[in-house]
Every structure is written in structure tokens, then in C-alpha cells.
């Protein structure tokens, strides 16, 4: 009878351990299932904004052709006299602190623009027209204006000023962070 009681006790302990193990596994599975539902809701909540950033050319690879087309259209809309540009190679965007997790995804391409203006108001009209094109997200980093022909008085419908502007086209490429 002692062996029978001992055998029964051992079986009961093993069964209780299995039950605890299975209960823990079930609780973990329920927790993962609940988190996946929350993650799904988060994704569905932010998906339209993400897709809008993709459509604007901020998420994904560089959209250089779209940028140049945007420059051309903005020039026409602002009524300027043509725009020349110089576009540098893409580089990582300098973020504060190298431990920033976005530093491997965020990139910028520096562009130098030169164009003529009738007056200073044309400058803002041009960049508003460029932003309205939604061909990408850019940061205007600086502009310098200089008067054309300092000895003559300003004339209507001719370039009285030249603008030299620097801007950065920003892109986030999720594929580049996988390397």
C-alpha cells in the first residue's frame, strides 16, 4: 500500500507540474494573441498616414525624377525665369546622437538651386508651389539673394534678383535599415 500511495503521489505531482506548464503556455498564447490584436489595431490606425507619406515620396527610395518635375512645375506656377540645380548623392541625415534608432533609415539629398526673381515675394511663392506639388519632403536650409545689375533700377517682368538656395530632400527607406 505504501508503494501504491507513493506511485499515486508521484503521478499527481507530475500531473500538477504538467498542468502548471500547460496553464503558463496557455496564458502566454492568450497574451500574444491579445498583443497581436493591439498591434493590428495600431497598424490599421497608422496605415493611412504611412501610405500618404509613401505617396508623397518620403517613405521609400529617392524620387529624384519627381523632385525635378516638381521644380519645373513650381517654376511655371510661380512665374519665374527657370531654375538650375545641383543634386548631391544621398547621405544619412545627421541626427543628434548616433544611438538614435532612426539614424540608419533617415537620409537626405542636398540640392543647390539658382533662379531669378522679380522681387522677394517670388521666393516664398516658389517654395509654396514646390511644397504643394507633394513630390517629397524637403527642408530649406538657406537662401542668399543678390541684386542683378546694381546700377539700374528694378524692372517689371525681368529678373531683378538672383536666389541661391540650399535644401535637403528627406527620405526614410525602411529597406536600408535591414543591412
Amino acid at each position: 500500500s505504501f508503494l501504491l500511495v507513493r506511485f499515486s503521489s508521484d503521478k499527481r505531482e507530475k500531473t500538477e507540474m504538467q498542468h502548471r506548464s500547460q496553464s503558463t503556455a496557455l496564458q502566454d498564447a492568450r497574451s500574444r494573441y491579445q498583443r497581436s490584436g493591439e498591434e493590428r489595431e495600431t497598424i490599421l490606425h497608422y496605415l493611412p498616414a504611412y501610405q500618404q507619406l509613401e505617396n508623397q515620396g518620403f517613405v521609400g527610395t529617392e524620387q529624384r525624377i519627381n523632385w525635378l518635375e516638381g521644380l519645373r512645375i513650381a517654376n511655371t506656377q510661380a512665374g519665374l525665369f527657370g531654375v538650375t540645380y545641383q543634386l548631391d548623392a544621398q547621405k544619412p541625415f545627421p541626427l543628434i546622437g548616433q544611438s538614435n534608432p532612426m539614424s540608419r533609415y533617415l537620409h537626405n539629398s542636398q540640392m543647390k538651386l539658382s533662379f531669378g526673381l522679380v522681387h522677394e515675394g517670388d521666393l516664398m511663392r516658389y517654395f509654396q508651389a514646390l511644397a504643394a506639388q507633394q513630390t517629397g519632403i524637403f527642408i530649406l536650409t538657406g537662401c542668399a539673394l543678390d541684386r542683378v545689375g546694381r546700377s539700374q533700377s528694378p524692372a517689371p517682368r525681368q529678373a531683378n534678383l538672383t536666389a541661391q538656395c540650399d535644401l535637403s530632400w528627406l527620405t526614410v527607406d525602411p529597406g536600408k535599415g535591414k543591412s
Side-chain angles (χ1 to χ4, degrees):
S1 71
F2 172 73
L3 288 175
L4 189 58
V5 169
R6 173 77 181 202
F7 178 75
S8 298
S9 177
D10 287 346
K11 279 293 192 185
R12 185 180 58 81
E13 286 177 13
K14 285 181 183 178
T15 305
E16 284 178 1
M17 284 178 49
Q18 285 179 337
H19 181 264
R20 280 192 296 266
S21 173
Q22 292 297 322
S23 294
T24 302
L26 177 62
Q27 187 62 32
D28 288 346
R30 283 183 180 155
S31 176
R32 284 193 312 271
Y33 178 73
Q34 183 179 5
R35 279 194 312 265
S36 72
E38 292 168 359
E39 289 171 359
R40 181 181 181 279
E41 291 300 317
T42 300
I43 289 170
L44 290 176
H45 181 265
Y46 290 106
L47 184 60
Y50 182 84
Q51 289 172 330
Q52 184 179 7
L53 290 173
E54 269 185 324
N55 292 339
Q56 289 178 350
F58 180 60
V59 176
T61 58
E62 286 185 308
Q63 302 292 318
R64 288 177 174 239
I65 292 174
N66 293 344
W67 298 342
L68 301 179
E69 184 68 14
L71 293 176
R72 186 188 65 74
I73 292 170
N75 176 66
T76 302
Q77 289 177 347
L80 299 183
F81 308 98
V83 176
T84 59
Y85 66 90
Q86 179 183 352
L87 185 58
D88 293 340
Q90 187 182 51
K91 298 176 192 166
F93 189 76
L95 294 172
I96 297 173
Q98 294 299 336
S99 62
N100 190 321
M102 282 301 294
S103 63
R104 62 183 163 177
Y105 300 106
L106 187 60
H107 296 86
N108 74 325
S109 300
Q110 293 285 352
M111 181 181 272
K112 295 183 184 309
L113 299 175
S114 298
F115 47 94
L117 307 168
V118 175
H119 57 81
E120 301 86 7
D122 291 343
L123 185 64
M124 290 312 299
R125 219 174 48 249
Y126 176 76
F127 285 112
Q128 288 169 347
L130 183 59
Q133 296 302 313
Q134 294 189 348
T135 56
I137 294 180
F138 63 91
I139 298 172
L140 185 60
T141 55
C143 275
L145 296 177
D146 194 22
R147 178 179 268 170
V148 176
R150 295 182 187 270
S151 61
Q152 63 191 36
S153 62
R157 294 313 317 144
Q158 78 175 24
N160 296 309
L161 301 169
T162 58
Q164 305 288 325
C165 296
D166 296 325
L167 57 93
S168 289
W169 291 97
L170 302 176
T171 53
V172 171
D173 193 352
K176 289 198 175 185
K178 294 177 183 175
S179 59

